[in-house]
Amino acid sequence: MTSPARRQYLQMKSQYPDAILFYQVGDFYETFDEDAHIASRVLQIVLTKRSYDKGEEKVPLAGIPLHALDNYVGKLIQQGYKVAICDQVGEVGRGLVERAVTRILTAGTLSEPNLLPVRRNNFLIAIASGGAQTALSAVDVSTGEFSVTWFAPEEMPGALEAELQRLAPTECLLVEGNRPTAFALPSETMTITHCPPYFFEIEAARARLCRLFGVQSLDAYGCAQAPQAIAAAGAIVAYLEKMNAKLLSLLTGLKTYHTTGYMTLDAHTQRNLELLQSARGGSTQGSLLGVLDRTITPMGARQLRRAICQPLLDLAQLQARLDSVEELYESPALRSRFTMHLQRLGDIERVAGRVRQGTAVPREALALREYLLVVPQLQSLMRGCNASLLLELAGEL
């Protein structure tokens, strides 16, 4: 007869058959059965066996200490696995401890600093296709960036593939049964996740987005009349609700953009121009990014990467950017003061995100306080400038 402890595990595992279940037992996370075989092989940890009751068959078992979770989970996710974290949520010492899955980790839903690239975004995307348009929505749950764009049939597949190259997403959501033939996915660097059709159902997605933002319509977000854009963005929200609902606290708005405002650089062009990677070693060294990147903060590094891959076409925006660069170039003293303040900044975007999720540790909350004290000093410097873009940024701060 199966013991209560074993029944509890099997019941929990039945709800997440497609994930590796890390099951808290005291100071360890344990994996069992086939999960244990996978964990032992991928993580190079010891596989053992034990029984949970007299006469019970021994089951495979492989565990890791609680404090080492991030390192081990990162290795599994890099191999394309989904990981469900089952924590003890009840009081220990009074019979069977109550447990619950608190979050599910996938390549595109990571917010833990140890598991993320510091100087680039970690995008989860969703693609929704219809007769009149194909839409692409992207979110970085570690920074709260949430955007959507769409393409007319005559722009396909070039514009979509160029955006995929620019975003370099780690995970892509597609509707179940959808095998895209009209465009190519960079599947060698991206996890493909198939979601149920109701994730992409337009009216359900619209209601989901309105509920998230606390609005009656999506008019203010520029996508109210773009059904596939709503479907793609709504699918992301549905997926995050299922994986880790705390991540939704970071999504405070949806940015609608059109790739026609930027120069389209397809994958072939980006490789030939060596914008982000050199042709020889595949690293940033020797690329345009490697030459230009003297950024001090992680936010600056991510912004520079975006700017390189999205060359502006609007002459007024280009001139405003150049005026700002010229003013800073002509004033070494001003640059030096900016540098001094920026060196005191950490990754405000990601630390603030962890605070809003309720997952920040005390030192992160204290660090955010110190970072925010720097902001008025940066604002004061910018207000003393002449360039319109710097003055505009001072107002936004």
Side-chain angles (χ1 to χ4, degrees):
M1 183 176 176
T2 307
S3 66
R6 178 67 172 163
R7 283 201 301 274
Q8 184 189 47
Y9 169 79
L10 292 173
Q11 190 273 333
M12 195 67 67
K13 175 62 183 175
S14 68
Q15 298 175 42
Y16 305 93
D18 59 341
I20 307 294
L21 184 65
F22 274 73
Y23 191 78
Q24 186 183 358
V25 181
D27 294 332
F28 281 78
Y29 281 113
E30 304 287 2
T31 58
F32 300 94
D33 305 317
E34 182 58 27
D35 287 356
H37 285 285
I38 295 171
S40 175
R41 184 180 71 252
V42 176
L43 303 178
Q44 298 293 295
I45 57 177
V46 176
L47 180 70
T48 60
K49 287 188 175 183
R50 65 164 290 184
S51 59
Y52 278 80
D53 209 352
K54 288 181 180 179
E56 226 181 44
E57 184 182 350
K58 290 187 176 182
V59 298
L61 170 75
I64 60 169
L66 256 63
H67 66 81
L69 177 67
D70 284 358
N71 292 336
Y72 285 110
V73 163
K75 292 177 183 177
L76 284 167
I77 289 173
Q78 285 174 2
Q79 295 293 319
Y81 291 100
K82 182 189 298 183
V83 178
I85 308 299
C86 182
D87 289 311
Q88 293 177 179
V89 295
E91 191 175 342
V92 178
R94 295 190 177 183
L96 194 62
V97 182
E98 184 183 353
R99 293 177 171 85
V101 170
T102 54
R103 63 197 191 279
I104 304 171
L105 303 176
T106 66
T109 60
L110 295 176
S111 61
E112 290 74 8
N114 297 344
L115 303 180
L116 292 169
V118 174
R119 301 179 72 81
R120 67 176 189 270
N121 287 99
N122 187 64
F123 284 116
L124 163 71
I125 66 166
I127 299 175
S129 298
Q133 63 183 213
T134 298
L136 167 69
S137 186
V139 68
D140 183 338
V141 297
S142 68
T143 64
E145 296 170 61
F146 189 21
S147 61
V148 68
T149 188
W150 57 91
F151 312 95
E154 60 270 20
E155 297 177 280
M156 292 288 290
L160 173 59
E161 291 176 358
E163 269 305 273
L164 290 173
Q165 179 73 16
R166 182 185 73 81
L167 293 169
T170 55
E171 185 175 5
C172 174
L173 309 182
L174 297 173
V175 68
E176 279 176 348
N178 182 14
R179 304 288 183 205
T181 56
F183 54 90
L185 290 170
S187 54
E188 69 279 358
T189 58
M190 183 172 68
T191 300
I192 308 295
T193 301
H194 289 93
C195 300
Y198 71 86
F199 275 26
F200 290 84
E201 201 281 316
I202 294 166
E203 291 311 313
R206 191 190 302 273
R208 208 177 290 130
L209 290 165
C210 288
R211 184 171 64 249
L212 175 65
F213 300 137
V215 297
Q216 296 297 313
S217 80
L218 298 176
D219 290 342
Y221 300 99
C223 60
Q225 307 306 317
Q228 296 307 317
I230 293 169
I236 282 180
V237 174
Y239 187 67
L240 294 182
E241 284 177 341
K242 181 181 177 183
M243 296 296 111
N244 182 1
K246 288 182 179 179
L247 296 174
L248 294 174
S249 65
L250 276 73
L251 309 187
T252 57
L254 179 64
K255 175 190 172 186
T256 296
Y257 70 100
H258 301 286
T259 56
T260 51
Y262 306 96
M263 184 182 297
T264 300
L265 302 172
D266 60 32
H268 183 70
T269 301
Q270 290 192 39
R271 282 194 299 270
N272 283 350
L273 293 178
E274 298 182 289
L275 297 183
L276 303 179
Q277 296 180 328
S278 67
R280 291 182 180 178
S283 67
T284 56
Q285 187 174 2
S287 68
L288 180 61
L289 177 63
V291 171
L292 295 179
D293 193 356
R294 298 295 180 268
T295 54
I296 296 169
T297 70
M299 294 90 70
R302 295 194 289 265
Q303 176 61 35
L304 178 62
R305 181 179 283 264
R306 285 194 292 271
I308 287 174
C309 293
Q310 279 189 316
L312 290 171
L313 293 178
D314 185 292
L315 195 57
Q317 289 185 55
L318 274 167
Q319 192 58 56
R321 183 184 287 179
L322 289 171
D323 289 344
S324 302
V325 170
E326 184 176 23
E327 181 166 357
L328 293 170
Y329 178 77
E330 297 288 350
S331 178
L334 181 61
R335 282 205 317 279
S336 178
R337 289 197 291 273
F338 267 116
T339 298
M340 180 180 67
H341 293 313
L342 289 171
Q343 284 172 339
R344 295 168 52 203
L345 278 184
D347 200 335
I348 281 188
E349 286 180 326
R350 285 180 172 168
V351 173
R354 284 175 58 75
V355 170
R356 289 162 68 180
Q357 287 177 62
T359 57
V361 296
R363 61 177 171 77
E364 289 176 313
L366 290 171
L368 181 59
R369 174 186 178 276
E370 296 303 315
Y371 300 157
L372 292 175
L373 290 173
V374 179
V375 173
Q377 297 167 17
L378 288 167
Q379 194 175 36
S380 177
L381 275 181
M382 281 191 263
R383 282 178 173 157
C385 297
N386 296 313
S388 61
L389 183 56
L390 294 175
L391 294 172
E392 184 183 318
L393 289 172
E396 290 179 5
L397 283 179

